[in-house]
Amino acid sequence: MGAVAFLVFNIFDSPCLAAISTMAKEIGDRKKFWQAIAFQNISAWCVTLMVYQIIGLFNGVPFTGWTIVAFAVLAVYLFLLFRPDPNKKYVEIDRGETAKA
């Protein structure tokens, strides 16, 4: 289970140094670059936490506070994944149909 969590972390964390230097060049702003690196690593840690804790429940890992955190992170990820697009504006038509504004 630890090996699977390690593999998941390596899938989602920051890429190799060549990709990181290219990302720094493309972003151009040092502050936004470090925010992007932090976002990638924190997201990888959150996904790894979910994988380890939730799969661990089926393999004998005890239910702890980290399991609650893992389920909270999962709820946030699912909300962000399935929420309506906030950038789309729809207008109700008289017949109950929706149309793009």
Side-chain angles (χ1 to χ4, degrees), residues 6-61:
F6 178 71
L7 290 173
V8 168
F9 182 80
N10 281 319
I11 289 170
F12 287 103
D13 72 340
S14 297
C16 64
L17 289 177
I20 289 175
S21 64
T22 303
M23 189 170 73
K25 180 181 172 189
E26 292 293 324
I27 290 176
D29 184 17
R30 189 174 207 136
K31 182 179 177 183
K32 289 183 181 179
F33 165 72
W34 285 111
Q35 288 174 347
I37 295 294
F39 175 77
Q40 289 174 343
N41 289 323
I42 291 169
S43 296
W45 185 84
C46 289
V47 172
T48 303
L49 175 72
M50 288 187 302
V51 167
Y52 186 82
Q53 291 295 325
I54 294 172
I55 293 175
L57 288 176
F58 300 108
N59 291 333
V61 173

